[in-house]
Amino acid sequence: MSSKDKSRRIGDRELSPESLMMSYGYDPTLSEGALKCPIFQTSTFIFNSAEQGKAFFEVAYGLREREAGEKLGLIYSRLNNPDLEILEDRLTLWDRAESAAVFESGMGAISTTALTFLRPGDRLLYSEPVYGGTQYLFSQILPQFGIETRSFRAAMGPQEVREAVLEAGQDGNLAFVLLETPANPTNHLVDIAQVAEAAAELSTEERKVLVAVDNTFLGPVFQHPLKQGADLVLYSLTKYVGGHSDVIAGACLGSAALVNRIKETRTFLGSMGGPWSGWLLMRSLETLKLRMTAQAANARIIADWLAEHPRVVRVYYPGHLEEGDADYETFNRQCEDAGGMVSFDVEGGEAEAFNVLNSLQLIKLAVSLGGTESLAQHPSTMTHSDIPPEQQRAMGITESMIRLSVGVENAEDLIADLEQALAG
Ligand SMILES: *Cc1c(COP(=O)(O)O)cnc(C)c1O
């Protein structure tokens, strides 16, 4: 048992991620006994000897097999840095992943992963709506490299999603499927296990159709895509994991075999995260579960209140799914909580939605999500504005829709703010 495996247990008891976020993967004796992991603000690392430098490079460049227990030595901060490595170790715990790679942004994680596994002639399939940056990368950038991209609507039922995957794989060119669930901003769900099964049916010995899930909205506390059969999990750590709206970063998690390939691409694209971001994110991880739990509890109170409000036409919140709803079973199988994102339609159109947004006092008018403060925005003219109106409507994004990212404030204060804004 390695010292890391040992530090995860007390006797037979396996410790929970929230218990390990303050210490896992960090050895104070290597840092003058400092309780907290320092910021290793250094570009390069000193070798003890020329022989050691040679050995580190042999491992880093795969020039020979690693000896038993031999780790990648510290060389240069584009390849590795303690703040990044310890953060990566801690991130694996929530998703029970073998390995993790951290990037300077969520888009850095998504683009580096896509460029690792896609080649000219390959096809990429993704659920819609996806994050605007992802949508642009897939629809505008990757096609310039000869990669064909196709999408299906997250609002379709599991059976239709299965058919969309099988159809995209009919000619053998499907290489990669990316799901974003719950979808932003409609909170429609995609059944991860169903897609993973279809992808497995299409996979051959030589070619596995990879399934990746952007788990930014519910993960890593409330949804675990690897458990549902996905190969890779992607994050914008900027959102819930960072949680304080003060750092941009991303991650990709999965098997060591896949993540090592992604790390190789990362080394040469230079899209790794820096030590300062790594340090901030380790600090954030200590309170991740507390924050997400408080945000989800507030979101439920607000969603329930909105559903009763006479000027609210519809609330989009997975916690309100009922037996018979298309996503009900998917929710029960793959989500451990409904999370902190709530969208709603106000009576009227854009003007009425703007009126509410302009009247909010405590809730700030800004894009992004997952931070301690509550934010509101208008998807149709803000985060999703580069999607033509007809397509927005087809995806379920209305003119009167407001998206809330619920923070950790007092729930009654948030309701007081919404109440006065809806009365205006
Ligand atoms: C914000 C976000 C991204 C992009 O992350 P950045 O850290 O801004 O690069 C990707 N996916 C989802 C779901 C997001 O919310």
Side-chain angles (χ1 to χ4, degrees), residues 64-102:
R64 61 167 168 82
E65 291 288 307
R66 290 186 195 199
E67 284 163 30
E70 187 176 14
K71 288 197 314 190
L72 177 60
L74 291 164
I75 297 176
Y76 181 69
S77 287
R78 181 158 42 74
L79 279 70
N80 55 1
N81 176 289
D83 290 298
L84 222 56
E85 289 192 342
I86 298 167
L87 170 65
E88 286 167 348
D89 285 344
R90 290 184 188 174
L91 281 174
T92 62
L93 298 178
W94 298 95
D95 281 293
R96 293 179 169 273
E98 226 179 355
S99 193
V102 169

Side-chain angles (χ1 to χ4, degrees), residues 219-286:
V221 175
F222 298 137
Q223 182 170 270
H224 302 100
L226 298 179
K227 219 160 71 181
Q228 306 290 327
D231 301 289
L232 293 166
V233 188
L234 292 155
Y235 287 104
S236 169
L237 302 176
T238 311
K239 313 296 168 54
Y240 284 99
V241 176
H244 296 71
S245 306
D246 57 6
V247 59
I248 301 248
C252 185
L253 288 75
S255 68
L258 293 177
V259 173
N260 284 342
R261 286 182 61 190
I262 296 167
K263 281 185 176 167
E264 184 186 315
T265 315
R266 183 183 70 173
T267 291
F268 297 103
L269 292 182
S271 51
M272 74 296 152
W276 175 226
S277 301
W279 186 89
L280 277 172
L281 288 160
M282 281 194 269
R283 185 175 179 143
S284 291
L285 278 177
E286 298 184 11

Side-chain angles (χ1 to χ4, degrees), residues 104-108 110 131 134 180 184 214 216-217 235-239 248-250 369:
E104 88 287 29
S105 68
M107 286 314 301
I110 295 165
Y131 179 71
T134 310
E180 198 174 298
N184 171 17
D214 184 330
T216 300
F217 269 43
Y235 287 104
S236 169
L237 302 176
T238 311
K239 313 296 168 54
I248 301 248
L369 59 108

